[in-house]
Every structure is written in C-alpha cells, then in structure tokens.
Amino acid sequence: MRYVSIALIALLALVHAELLFGKGGVPRMMDLTAKLAAQQSDNTTARARNAQMDAEVRDLKEGLEIVEERARHELGMLKPDEIYVQVARAKR
C-alpha cells in the first residue's frame, strides 16, 4: 500500500509540474490570452478602417457626383464647354 501511495504522489507531482512548466501550462495560456486580446483590439481597429474605406468605394462606384466634386476641388478640372469665372472682391 505504501508503494502505491508513493507512486500516486509522484504521478500527481509530475502532472502538476507539467501544468506549471509544460507546453500547455498556465504561463503559456496567460501569454496567449494577452496576445489574443491585443489581436482582437487590432482587428476591431482594422474593421472600422475597412468599413470606412468600403463606404468610400461604394460612394465612388455609385455616385458620380462625388467623383466630379473631387475632380473639381482637388484637381481643378472643368466640364467640357464650361467657363471658369473667378470673382475678386474689391478692396476697401
């Protein structure tokens, strides 16, 4: 009976050591949990950025008014047969 108790205690110590220092032990799980939280945060940020870009692409595909507005504002483009008039304010 004594040898059985010693064998069971040794087996329990081996399992406990594996839990603390092994490949799937507690410290590794804590590290993986922290990495998972950081990755989920990064994913949330990326999803928001992707949604914003998706909305912009959808607007550019569907609405030519936005493309025209950008071309006029950013590039200074005009439509064919359109005359550009610039009005200067009088100084007082």
Side-chain angles (χ1 to χ4, degrees):
M1 185 71 173
R2 185 172 184 186
Y3 293 116
V4 173
S5 297
I6 292 173
L8 288 176
I9 290 173
L11 186 60
L12 182 64
L14 181 66
V15 169
H16 190 68
E18 180 67 29
L19 179 64
L20 290 178
F21 306 113
K23 208 174 197 182
V26 175
R28 174 125 168 96
M29 291 303 296
M30 297 292 279
D31 183 46
L32 290 176
T33 303
K35 286 182 181 180
L36 177 64
Q39 186 63 50
Q40 286 175 338
S41 174
D42 291 346
N43 288 350
T44 303
T45 304
R47 280 190 190 102
R49 189 178 70 238
N50 287 346
Q52 181 182 8
M53 293 176 87
D54 184 46
E56 186 174 336
V57 167
R58 193 171 42 252
D59 286 345
L60 289 173
K61 283 182 179 178
E62 293 174 0
L64 293 178
E65 298 86 23
I66 294 173
V67 174
E68 183 178 330
E69 179 183 336
R70 280 194 169 183
R72 287 175 180 271
H73 181 66
E74 294 175 7
L75 302 175
M77 297 180 77
L78 302 174
K79 288 184 180 179
D81 299 327
E82 188 175 48
I83 299 172
Y84 179 72
V85 177
Q86 184 176 7
V87 178
R89 294 181 183 218
K91 293 184 180 182
R92 292 183 184 203

